[in-house]
Amino acid sequence: MDKAISVENLSMAYRNKKEEIIAVDNISFTVNQGEVFSFLGPSGAGKTTTQRILTTLLPITDGMAHVAGYNVITDAKKVRKNIGYVGQLGGADPNATVRESLELSGKLYRQSKDVTAQRIDKLSKLLDFHELLSRFVRTLSGGQKRRVEIAQGILHEPKVLFLDEPTTGLDPQNRANLWKHIKTLRDNGMTIFLTTHYLEEADALSDRLIILDHGKIVAEGTPTELKKRVSGEAISIELKNSQDADKMKQFFHQLAIDNMIETDIGFTVYTPKGEELVADIFKYTKNNHIELVKLSLSIPSLNDVFLALTGKELRDGGKEDEQ
Ligand SMILES: Nc1ncnc2c1ncn2[C@@H]1O[C@H](COP(=O)(O)OP(=O)(O)OP(=O)(O)O)[C@@H](O)[C@H]1O
Ligand SMILES: [Mg+2]
């Protein structure tokens, strides 16, 4: 088996009485063994749908997919043996203790009590919740609960772990802590496929990623490769009055800046001479009585990549739970 996951021309449509929703639209990609691979995309992009296909929980409308070397349709049982899946909503029973939750997972995987006990010991140390084993799940913090759920998902030592938005709802500190643990699992040889709508998460955690939008692949590569696609520095301005947009456009036009994206609230322009242009913008807006709400200069982030490729901010389509 050379690739942990391979997907060829995969499509998936949900059909109900009234309509057909194409959630995944002819995507192809591979995931190497032992890497953290991410799907970054806004709400409704098709991230969960793809993961549910690869974890054998949903059928394929068209195309083919292999996980751990097995066909997800014709060899679903073998696929399930080799994967762990921690879904978007989490699944630990609030009224069980942490140890009981893990023992139940062990039973579901048909492991002997001894093997389960050994792995609970090992994973609770690795994921840093050994002191919490006798606590009720309902008393855990969000970050602690996620770590227990991940342990449930990998108690049978799968080759490939699927995590659907593992850090949604966690505060930044807990999020960074979970990234560290996910990297530890990767360093121990596991392949990890996660979905996220957090740019920082995709950037910090992924060895490679795909930007997904409307069921289609928008871009693919390492975070560094993707950021290199957007040349120069990014200047974002937010206008107080949208009537000033035309004046700003004229100004950029005069300076022969064509690498510019207009958003609902202003502009993002890309230029090799960031600081110089910032000074010019200040001068021009002052002289022309244009009020700015915000002006920022930054080296391109994955948000700029998304913006450059789709013409919209990833945050617009994301969820309102950034903390
Ligand atoms: N059971 C379903 N029946 C009909 N349409 C569905 C169903 N589940 C998902 N969809 C639609 O398929 C598309 C992709 O949904 P999916 O859940 O895969 O997106 P996602 O990228 O995981 O989004 P989120 O970030 O909100 O979790 C959306 O348009 C969604 O409304
Ligand atoms: Mg989802």
Short mmCIF file of all heavy atoms in Angstrom, two decimals, residues 47-49 88 164-165 195 319, ligand 2:
data_model
loop_
_atom_site.label_atom_id
_atom_site.label_comp_id
_atom_site.label_asym_id
_atom_site.label_seq_id
_atom_site.Cartn_x
_atom_site.Cartn_y
_atom_site.Cartn_z
N LYS A 47 -16.87 19.09 3.02
CA LYS A 47 -15.82 18.47 3.81
C LYS A 47 -16.34 17.22 4.53
O LYS A 47 -15.76 16.15 4.44
CB LYS A 47 -15.25 19.46 4.85
CG LYS A 47 -14.76 20.77 4.23
CD LYS A 47 -14.14 21.70 5.26
CE LYS A 47 -15.09 22.19 6.35
NZ LYS A 47 -16.17 23.09 5.84
N THR A 48 -17.44 17.39 5.27
CA THR A 48 -17.99 16.26 6.02
C THR A 48 -18.46 15.17 5.08
O THR A 48 -18.23 13.98 5.32
CB THR A 48 -19.16 16.75 6.91
OG1 THR A 48 -18.65 17.68 7.87
CG2 THR A 48 -19.81 15.60 7.65
N THR A 49 -19.08 15.57 3.99
CA THR A 49 -19.58 14.58 3.02
C THR A 49 -18.43 13.70 2.53
O THR A 49 -18.54 12.47 2.51
CB THR A 49 -20.27 15.29 1.84
OG1 THR A 49 -21.32 16.10 2.35
CG2 THR A 49 -20.83 14.29 0.84
N GLN A 88 -18.05 15.37 13.59
CA GLN A 88 -18.14 16.80 13.90
C GLN A 88 -18.78 17.05 15.27
O GLN A 88 -18.47 18.02 15.93
CB GLN A 88 -18.96 17.47 12.80
CG GLN A 88 -18.69 18.93 12.64
CD GLN A 88 -19.18 19.46 11.28
OE1 GLN A 88 -19.59 18.70 10.41
NE2 GLN A 88 -19.15 20.76 11.13
N ASP A 164 -13.16 15.42 11.99
CA ASP A 164 -14.00 16.44 11.35
C ASP A 164 -14.09 17.66 12.26
O ASP A 164 -14.73 17.62 13.30
CB ASP A 164 -15.40 15.86 11.08
CG ASP A 164 -16.16 16.69 10.05
OD1 ASP A 164 -15.64 17.74 9.61
OD2 ASP A 164 -17.29 16.30 9.69
N GLU A 165 -13.42 18.72 11.86
CA GLU A 165 -13.37 19.97 12.63
C GLU A 165 -13.04 19.71 14.10
O GLU A 165 -13.83 20.01 15.00
CB GLU A 165 -14.71 20.70 12.51
CG GLU A 165 -15.11 20.87 11.05
CD GLU A 165 -15.74 22.20 10.73
OE1 GLU A 165 -15.85 23.04 11.62
OE2 GLU A 165 -16.10 22.38 9.57
N THR A 195 -10.62 18.03 8.72
CA THR A 195 -11.30 19.13 8.04
C THR A 195 -11.28 20.32 8.98
O THR A 195 -11.28 20.16 10.21
CB THR A 195 -12.76 18.83 7.73
OG1 THR A 195 -13.51 18.91 8.94
CG2 THR A 195 -12.94 17.46 7.10
N LYS A 319 -17.93 29.84 10.12
CA LYS A 319 -18.93 29.92 11.19
C LYS A 319 -18.58 31.04 12.16
O LYS A 319 -17.45 31.49 12.22
CB LYS A 319 -18.97 28.59 11.92
CG LYS A 319 -19.59 27.55 11.04
CD LYS A 319 -19.35 26.19 11.63
CE LYS A 319 -19.60 25.14 10.57
NZ LYS A 319 -18.91 23.92 10.86
MG MG B 2 -18.88 19.58 8.13
#
